[in-house]
Amino acid sequence: MAAKITKAAVIGSGVMGASIAAHLANVGIPSLLLDIVPASLTPEETAKGLTLEHPAVRNRLATGALSRLSKIKPAPLYDEAFVSRITPGNIEDDLHKIKDVDWVIEVVVENLQVKQELHRKIESHWKPGIIVTSNTSGISINAMVEGCGEEFKRHFLGTHFFNPPRYMKLMEIIPGETTDPAIVKQIAEFSEKTLGKGVVIAKDTPNFVANRIGTYGLLVTLQAMAAKGFTVDEVDAITGPALGRPRSATFRTLDLVGLDTFVHVANNVFEKVEEGDEKVVFEVPQVMKDMVSRGWIGEKSGQGFYKKVKGEKGSEILSLDLTTMEYVKSKKPASASLEAAKAAKGAKEKTKALLGAKDRYSELAWDILKKVLVYSAGKVGEIADSIHDIDRAMKWGFNWELGPFETWDAIGLVRTAERMESEGETLPDWVKEWIAAGNQSFYQKTNGTTFYLHKGQYTAIEQRPEIISLRNLKEQNKVVRSNSGASLIDVGDGVVCLEFHSPNNAIGADILTMIQQSVDEVRQNYDALIIANEGRHFCVGANLMLLLMEAQDGEWDEVDNIIHMFQQSMLKLKHFEKPVVAAPHSMTLGGGVEACMPADQIVAHAETYYGLVEVGVGLIPAGGGCKEIALRASLANPNPEVDLQPYINQMFMNVGTAKVSTSAEDARKLGYFRPHDRVVANQDHLVYEAKQSALALVRGGYQPAQQSKIRVIGADGKAVLKLGAQDMKYAGYISDHDLLIASKLAHVMAGGDLPAGTMVTEQYMLDLEREAFLSLCGEVKTQQRMQHMLAKGKALRN
């Protein structure tokens, strides 16, 4: 067996195959991308005088797939340059090259015969030790390799990536009857650690786990909708966030997936299950068949259950009236149950509120939910070994906030089970036996450890060292200090974690106070500090509401105090005598970036969207962001003869246009990350990896950053920056107020009006930041931008 996976081959260059190759490239795994040889020439190839034997023709499908990667949205690659890690080819000429890879992934059409023939070809070039997997959404893993050798079968299994592979967390791994357990373990570990996936081991059954339950849920929703006369808009209002599901709910999800794809998945179960209630559910409704026959298959065809059209006031969304098959203006439903769910906090409370209101919407939600819960319970042991695996599959594969069994616990297992039976539902025996034994839930939590029902008893969820849960640590009384905005948590081995938990993790006085207290605490009692949290976003910036209120009231001393406190808190982190590691994830904006910049090292999740965006609300970075940019340029170029202007120009453009990275690797490309900053694929491992980096700094004899003088580009450099901004104004890209902000930003980033090459202190740069920030706060147009951002959640151009 291969010791580790360092090179792969992907066979099949459709959107899924190319996107899998792209994600391998994202994590540094080079791959071959192979497809069939075209049977005919294109007009362009004919015009060039090419023949069917020309390599450009023979590799056309794979080469074309790679060229299209940059056009796919959302982007499959962290950085478009990573496409160079993928080598295109074709099956006839290049299949023999798989002997040099560690993992072959077959991603061809969902047709058993085609897959069987291809695996026999693969086996003819295969050598022992190479792992071969099929990316299939439901075809039998065992059937694919019928007729292949036993040794080949030992190395063969299913790896079901969810689409898009870069972003979807779930990886279903499906062992065959004779797959070597060691290979299953190897692929699972690689998928989790290197690819960043959440792994569920599935049984070799139709559609495996997530698609089996997800498809069932969508079909029973359609049936309940038709029976009770609900509209597309009403169903989506009920089956979205109100039920702990994504905003795409039911019909937007179907449009995104594609109705043709969904019909194929549903038919896969329909054709393979025995006659009975389950087969009836999986028969695709006639209305959906009609839509597919018309070509109304969702976003890829321009219309499905929804259709975007241009109206008098711009684009508007129409929804399909399933009784007339005509598109009508989309309407946002309102009801007591929907309002109750909207007001509730968290998926558990939202679901309870939706079901508890007792109107027609709550009745539909119950009719759908009870069917899904009973069905999920009936599939335990058949599609996956445990309720925990099924819950994780639905959360990771369909972005449900709660899995089916977590949902059942949330709404009251015993009470709702009784109601289900009273309404004619047949519960699995194991559920009835569990309740009869006096149990009130499928899960329970004790001292930070979660237990789940497995084989008739509560079993602890494995506590793995690489997954550090701050929530669990808090339940285990590991909080060292805490206030309304942040907590300091002992994560072991002399390391503590500063966790933000204010609304949206916005930085206010409470977080800044905790930063200063954390430095004092670590100085006396710990070896290192990490900054991480488990919020949806790491930090969206400073507390804008507080800032706006003070500015509108003319409390300039208070605004000045806030900025001064922010700057001094960051300076404390910057020059702390013990290591500081920041672990950003998801949205890390404005003040969130400035909270990371003083750290000795950044350990970022791969999906980190990072940028200094203050100009979007009419301001400039003033928590040390501009100072850090100038400092990094100066430290990286100690030779006074080296021109700093190009780097400052790039960062001026980044900040001046509020540019946000599209990934952690893009943040590195934009100049925000340093060479020693790290990227982690799996967000669940982020706290652990940050801790390991902090400990490595401790073991390496850490020396704190010294106060450094900063070489600035001065008045001459400032003129260059302002000239660039003026050109953008003349071209109509920015407004007069944008130009004012850019001028202030240029003044700060250049170090003011000093001669080029002047050496200044960090405090000098911070004073420039604060002065510019205060002056912009007094601008009416800046206050309008701040107000608009708070009210609308997007930038105002004024």
Side-chain angles (χ1 to χ4, degrees), residues 222-264:
L222 284 163
Q223 291 173 359
M225 169 193 184
K228 297 195 173 181
F230 283 86
T231 67
V232 164
D233 292 318
E234 288 175 320
V235 170
D236 271 359
I238 297 163
T239 58
L243 205 55
R245 310 281 173 79
R247 293 187 182 278
S248 56
T250 297
F251 295 110
R252 292 188 193 279
T253 296
L254 282 168
D255 278 357
L256 287 167
V257 169
L259 273 69
D260 53 340
T261 300
F262 177 81
V263 167
H264 172 80

Short mmCIF file of all heavy atoms in Angstrom, two decimals, residues 222-264:
data_model
loop_
_atom_site.label_atom_id
_atom_site.label_comp_id
_atom_site.label_asym_id
_atom_site.label_seq_id
_atom_site.Cartn_x
_atom_site.Cartn_y
_atom_site.Cartn_z
N LEU A 222 -42.57 17.68 -1.95
CA LEU A 222 -43.39 17.89 -3.15
C LEU A 222 -44.77 17.26 -3.00
O LEU A 222 -45.79 17.84 -3.40
CB LEU A 222 -42.67 17.32 -4.36
CG LEU A 222 -41.51 18.14 -4.91
CD1 LEU A 222 -40.65 17.29 -5.83
CD2 LEU A 222 -42.04 19.36 -5.68
N GLN A 223 -44.82 16.08 -2.41
CA GLN A 223 -46.10 15.39 -2.24
C GLN A 223 -47.00 16.14 -1.26
O GLN A 223 -48.21 16.32 -1.52
CB GLN A 223 -45.85 13.96 -1.77
CG GLN A 223 -45.20 13.09 -2.84
CD GLN A 223 -44.80 11.72 -2.32
OE1 GLN A 223 -44.99 11.41 -1.15
NE2 GLN A 223 -44.24 10.88 -3.19
N ALA A 224 -46.42 16.57 -0.13
CA ALA A 224 -47.22 17.30 0.86
C ALA A 224 -47.69 18.64 0.30
O ALA A 224 -48.82 19.08 0.55
CB ALA A 224 -46.40 17.51 2.12
N MET A 225 -46.84 19.27 -0.47
CA MET A 225 -47.18 20.54 -1.09
C MET A 225 -48.37 20.39 -2.04
O MET A 225 -49.33 21.18 -2.01
CB MET A 225 -45.95 21.05 -1.85
CG MET A 225 -46.21 22.22 -2.77
SD MET A 225 -44.78 22.44 -3.87
CE MET A 225 -45.27 23.90 -4.74
N ALA A 226 -48.30 19.37 -2.87
CA ALA A 226 -49.37 19.15 -3.83
C ALA A 226 -50.68 18.81 -3.13
O ALA A 226 -51.76 19.26 -3.54
CB ALA A 226 -48.98 18.03 -4.79
N ALA A 227 -50.59 18.03 -2.06
CA ALA A 227 -51.80 17.60 -1.35
C ALA A 227 -52.51 18.76 -0.68
O ALA A 227 -53.74 18.75 -0.56
CB ALA A 227 -51.43 16.53 -0.32
N LYS A 228 -51.75 19.76 -0.25
CA LYS A 228 -52.36 20.84 0.53
C LYS A 228 -52.33 22.20 -0.17
O LYS A 228 -52.67 23.22 0.43
CB LYS A 228 -51.67 20.94 1.89
CG LYS A 228 -51.86 19.66 2.72
CD LYS A 228 -51.52 19.84 4.16
CE LYS A 228 -51.88 18.61 4.97
NZ LYS A 228 -51.58 18.77 6.40
N GLY A 229 -51.91 22.23 -1.44
CA GLY A 229 -52.04 23.44 -2.23
C GLY A 229 -51.11 24.58 -1.87
O GLY A 229 -51.52 25.75 -1.93
N PHE A 230 -49.87 24.28 -1.51
CA PHE A 230 -48.91 25.33 -1.21
C PHE A 230 -48.17 25.76 -2.49
O PHE A 230 -48.05 24.99 -3.43
CB PHE A 230 -47.89 24.85 -0.17
CG PHE A 230 -48.43 24.83 1.23
CD1 PHE A 230 -49.13 23.73 1.70
CD2 PHE A 230 -48.24 25.90 2.08
CE1 PHE A 230 -49.64 23.70 2.99
CE2 PHE A 230 -48.74 25.89 3.38
CZ PHE A 230 -49.44 24.79 3.83
N THR A 231 -47.66 26.98 -2.45
CA THR A 231 -46.90 27.50 -3.59
C THR A 231 -45.41 27.23 -3.39
O THR A 231 -44.95 26.91 -2.30
CB THR A 231 -47.10 29.02 -3.75
OG1 THR A 231 -46.49 29.69 -2.62
CG2 THR A 231 -48.57 29.37 -3.83
N VAL A 232 -44.65 27.43 -4.47
CA VAL A 232 -43.19 27.29 -4.42
C VAL A 232 -42.61 28.24 -3.38
O VAL A 232 -41.75 27.85 -2.57
CB VAL A 232 -42.59 27.56 -5.82
CG1 VAL A 232 -41.09 27.81 -5.74
CG2 VAL A 232 -42.90 26.41 -6.77
N ASP A 233 -43.06 29.49 -3.37
CA ASP A 233 -42.54 30.47 -2.41
C ASP A 233 -42.86 30.07 -0.98
O ASP A 233 -42.01 30.24 -0.07
CB ASP A 233 -43.15 31.85 -2.68
CG ASP A 233 -42.66 32.45 -4.00
OD1 ASP A 233 -41.46 32.33 -4.28
OD2 ASP A 233 -43.48 33.03 -4.73
N GLU A 234 -44.04 29.55 -0.74
CA GLU A 234 -44.42 29.16 0.61
C GLU A 234 -43.57 27.99 1.11
O GLU A 234 -43.09 27.99 2.25
CB GLU A 234 -45.90 28.79 0.65
CG GLU A 234 -46.84 29.99 0.53
CD GLU A 234 -48.30 29.58 0.45
OE1 GLU A 234 -48.61 28.57 -0.22
OE2 GLU A 234 -49.13 30.26 1.07
N VAL A 235 -43.36 27.01 0.25
CA VAL A 235 -42.57 25.85 0.66
C VAL A 235 -41.14 26.26 0.98
O VAL A 235 -40.56 25.81 1.97
CB VAL A 235 -42.61 24.76 -0.43
CG1 VAL A 235 -41.60 23.66 -0.13
CG2 VAL A 235 -44.01 24.17 -0.53
N ASP A 236 -40.56 27.13 0.16
CA ASP A 236 -39.19 27.56 0.43
C ASP A 236 -39.09 28.39 1.70
O ASP A 236 -38.08 28.36 2.41
CB ASP A 236 -38.62 28.32 -0.76
CG ASP A 236 -37.94 27.39 -1.76
OD1 ASP A 236 -37.91 26.16 -1.51
OD2 ASP A 236 -37.44 27.88 -2.79
N ALA A 237 -40.13 29.15 2.02
CA ALA A 237 -40.12 29.91 3.27
C ALA A 237 -40.14 28.98 4.48
O ALA A 237 -39.52 29.27 5.51
CB ALA A 237 -41.32 30.85 3.31
N ILE A 238 -40.82 27.85 4.34
CA ILE A 238 -40.95 26.91 5.44
C ILE A 238 -39.72 26.03 5.59
O ILE A 238 -39.27 25.73 6.70
CB ILE A 238 -42.21 26.03 5.23
CG1 ILE A 238 -43.47 26.88 5.25
CG2 ILE A 238 -42.29 24.92 6.29
CD1 ILE A 238 -44.68 26.19 4.66
N THR A 239 -39.14 25.61 4.47
CA THR A 239 -38.08 24.59 4.50
C THR A 239 -36.67 25.16 4.41
O THR A 239 -35.73 24.44 4.10
CB THR A 239 -38.29 23.57 3.36
OG1 THR A 239 -38.30 24.26 2.10
CG2 THR A 239 -39.61 22.83 3.53
N GLY A 240 -36.54 26.45 4.69
CA GLY A 240 -35.22 27.08 4.72
C GLY A 240 -34.74 27.27 6.15
O GLY A 240 -34.84 26.36 6.98
N PRO A 241 -34.20 28.44 6.48
CA PRO A 241 -33.67 28.69 7.82
C PRO A 241 -34.69 28.45 8.94
O PRO A 241 -34.30 28.12 10.07
CB PRO A 241 -33.26 30.17 7.76
CG PRO A 241 -32.92 30.38 6.33
CD PRO A 241 -33.90 29.55 5.56
N ALA A 242 -35.99 28.63 8.64
CA ALA A 242 -37.00 28.39 9.67
C ALA A 242 -36.98 26.95 10.17
O ALA A 242 -37.39 26.67 11.30
CB ALA A 242 -38.39 28.71 9.10
N LEU A 243 -36.47 26.04 9.34
CA LEU A 243 -36.39 24.64 9.70
C LEU A 243 -34.94 24.19 9.90
O LEU A 243 -34.62 23.01 9.89
CB LEU A 243 -37.06 23.79 8.61
CG LEU A 243 -37.64 22.41 8.99
CD1 LEU A 243 -38.62 22.51 10.15
CD2 LEU A 243 -38.30 21.77 7.78
N GLY A 244 -34.04 25.18 10.06
CA GLY A 244 -32.64 24.86 10.25
C GLY A 244 -31.95 24.38 8.99
O GLY A 244 -30.95 23.65 9.06
N ARG A 245 -32.46 24.79 7.84
CA ARG A 245 -31.89 24.38 6.55
C ARG A 245 -31.31 25.60 5.84
O ARG A 245 -31.58 26.74 6.22
CB ARG A 245 -32.98 23.74 5.69
CG ARG A 245 -33.79 22.65 6.40
CD ARG A 245 -33.07 21.33 6.46
NE ARG A 245 -33.79 20.36 7.29
CZ ARG A 245 -34.85 19.66 6.88
NH1 ARG A 245 -35.32 19.83 5.66
NH2 ARG A 245 -35.42 18.78 7.69
N PRO A 246 -30.57 25.42 4.75
CA PRO A 246 -30.00 26.56 4.02
C PRO A 246 -31.07 27.46 3.42
O PRO A 246 -32.23 27.05 3.24
CB PRO A 246 -29.18 25.89 2.91
CG PRO A 246 -28.92 24.51 3.39
CD PRO A 246 -30.13 24.13 4.20
N ARG A 247 -30.68 28.66 3.08
CA ARG A 247 -31.61 29.62 2.46
C ARG A 247 -32.14 29.11 1.11
O ARG A 247 -33.22 29.51 0.68
CB ARG A 247 -30.91 30.97 2.25
CG ARG A 247 -30.57 31.68 3.54
CD ARG A 247 -30.04 33.08 3.30
NE ARG A 247 -29.68 33.72 4.56
CZ ARG A 247 -30.56 34.33 5.37
NH1 ARG A 247 -31.84 34.37 5.03
NH2 ARG A 247 -30.16 34.88 6.49
N SER A 248 -31.39 28.23 0.47
CA SER A 248 -31.85 27.68 -0.81
C SER A 248 -33.04 26.76 -0.62
O SER A 248 -33.73 26.42 -1.60
CB SER A 248 -30.71 26.94 -1.50
OG SER A 248 -30.18 25.93 -0.67
N ALA A 249 -33.31 26.34 0.62
CA ALA A 249 -34.51 25.57 0.97
C ALA A 249 -34.73 24.39 0.02
O ALA A 249 -33.81 23.62 -0.24
CB ALA A 249 -35.72 26.51 1.01
N THR A 250 -35.95 24.25 -0.53
CA THR A 250 -36.26 23.10 -1.38
C THR A 250 -36.07 23.40 -2.86
O THR A 250 -35.28 22.76 -3.55
CB THR A 250 -37.72 22.66 -1.14
OG1 THR A 250 -37.85 22.22 0.23
CG2 THR A 250 -38.10 21.50 -2.07
N PHE A 251 -36.77 24.40 -3.34
CA PHE A 251 -36.82 24.60 -4.79
C PHE A 251 -35.61 25.36 -5.34
O PHE A 251 -35.18 25.12 -6.46
CB PHE A 251 -38.13 25.29 -5.19
CG PHE A 251 -39.32 24.41 -4.91
CD1 PHE A 251 -40.22 24.72 -3.90
CD2 PHE A 251 -39.52 23.25 -5.65
CE1 PHE A 251 -41.30 23.89 -3.63
CE2 PHE A 251 -40.60 22.42 -5.39
CZ PHE A 251 -41.49 22.74 -4.37
N ARG A 252 -35.05 26.25 -4.55
CA ARG A 252 -33.79 26.87 -4.99
C ARG A 252 -32.68 25.83 -5.01
O ARG A 252 -31.79 25.87 -5.87
CB ARG A 252 -33.44 28.05 -4.08
CG ARG A 252 -34.39 29.21 -4.22
CD ARG A 252 -33.91 30.45 -3.45
NE ARG A 252 -34.97 31.44 -3.35
CZ ARG A 252 -35.30 32.29 -4.30
NH1 ARG A 252 -34.65 32.27 -5.45
NH2 ARG A 252 -36.28 33.17 -4.11
N THR A 253 -32.73 24.90 -4.07
CA THR A 253 -31.75 23.81 -4.07
C THR A 253 -31.90 22.96 -5.33
O THR A 253 -30.91 22.61 -5.99
CB THR A 253 -31.91 22.93 -2.82
OG1 THR A 253 -31.62 23.71 -1.66
CG2 THR A 253 -30.97 21.73 -2.87
N LEU A 254 -33.13 22.61 -5.67
CA LEU A 254 -33.36 21.81 -6.88
C LEU A 254 -32.89 22.55 -8.13
O LEU A 254 -32.31 21.94 -9.03
CB LEU A 254 -34.85 21.48 -6.99
CG LEU A 254 -35.34 20.35 -6.08
CD1 LEU A 254 -36.86 20.31 -6.05
CD2 LEU A 254 -34.79 19.01 -6.53
N ASP A 255 -33.11 23.86 -8.18
CA ASP A 255 -32.63 24.63 -9.33
C ASP A 255 -31.11 24.64 -9.40
O ASP A 255 -30.52 24.59 -10.48
CB ASP A 255 -33.15 26.07 -9.25
CG ASP A 255 -34.58 26.21 -9.79
OD1 ASP A 255 -35.13 25.20 -10.27
OD2 ASP A 255 -35.13 27.32 -9.72
N LEU A 256 -30.46 24.71 -8.24
CA LEU A 256 -29.00 24.71 -8.21
C LEU A 256 -28.44 23.36 -8.63
O LEU A 256 -27.47 23.27 -9.39
CB LEU A 256 -28.51 25.07 -6.80
CG LEU A 256 -28.66 26.53 -6.38
CD1 LEU A 256 -28.43 26.67 -4.87
CD2 LEU A 256 -27.67 27.41 -7.13
N VAL A 257 -29.05 22.29 -8.12
CA VAL A 257 -28.57 20.93 -8.44
C VAL A 257 -28.85 20.60 -9.90
O VAL A 257 -28.04 19.96 -10.58
CB VAL A 257 -29.26 19.91 -7.51
CG1 VAL A 257 -29.00 18.48 -7.97
CG2 VAL A 257 -28.76 20.10 -6.08
N GLY A 258 -30.00 21.04 -10.37
CA GLY A 258 -30.45 20.68 -11.72
C GLY A 258 -31.51 19.59 -11.63
O GLY A 258 -31.27 18.53 -11.04
N LEU A 259 -32.68 19.86 -12.19
CA LEU A 259 -33.77 18.88 -12.09
C LEU A 259 -33.43 17.58 -12.80
O LEU A 259 -33.85 16.51 -12.36
CB LEU A 259 -35.07 19.47 -12.66
CG LEU A 259 -35.92 20.29 -11.68
CD1 LEU A 259 -35.22 21.60 -11.31
CD2 LEU A 259 -37.28 20.59 -12.27
N ASP A 260 -32.65 17.67 -13.88
CA ASP A 260 -32.26 16.44 -14.58
C ASP A 260 -31.39 15.56 -13.70
O ASP A 260 -31.56 14.33 -13.66
CB ASP A 260 -31.54 16.78 -15.88
CG ASP A 260 -30.37 17.75 -15.68
OD1 ASP A 260 -30.32 18.45 -14.64
OD2 ASP A 260 -29.51 17.81 -16.58
N THR A 261 -30.48 16.19 -12.97
CA THR A 261 -29.63 15.44 -12.03
C THR A 261 -30.46 14.83 -10.92
O THR A 261 -30.29 13.66 -10.56
CB THR A 261 -28.55 16.37 -11.44
OG1 THR A 261 -27.76 16.90 -12.50
CG2 THR A 261 -27.66 15.62 -10.46
N PHE A 262 -31.39 15.62 -10.38
CA PHE A 262 -32.22 15.13 -9.29
C PHE A 262 -33.06 13.94 -9.74
O PHE A 262 -33.19 12.94 -9.02
CB PHE A 262 -33.13 16.24 -8.77
CG PHE A 262 -34.06 15.79 -7.69
CD1 PHE A 262 -33.64 15.69 -6.38
CD2 PHE A 262 -35.38 15.42 -7.98
CE1 PHE A 262 -34.49 15.24 -5.38
CE2 PHE A 262 -36.23 14.97 -7.00
CZ PHE A 262 -35.79 14.89 -5.69
N VAL A 263 -33.64 14.03 -10.93
CA VAL A 263 -34.47 12.93 -11.45
C VAL A 263 -33.64 11.66 -11.57
O VAL A 263 -34.09 10.56 -11.24
CB VAL A 263 -35.10 13.33 -12.80
CG1 VAL A 263 -35.69 12.11 -13.50
CG2 VAL A 263 -36.18 14.39 -12.59
N HIS A 264 -32.41 11.81 -12.05
CA HIS A 264 -31.51 10.65 -12.18
C HIS A 264 -31.26 10.01 -10.81
O HIS A 264 -31.32 8.78 -10.67
CB HIS A 264 -30.20 11.08 -12.81
CG HIS A 264 -29.15 10.00 -12.81
ND1 HIS A 264 -29.13 8.98 -13.73
CD2 HIS A 264 -28.11 9.77 -11.96
CE1 HIS A 264 -28.11 8.17 -13.47
NE2 HIS A 264 -27.48 8.63 -12.41
#
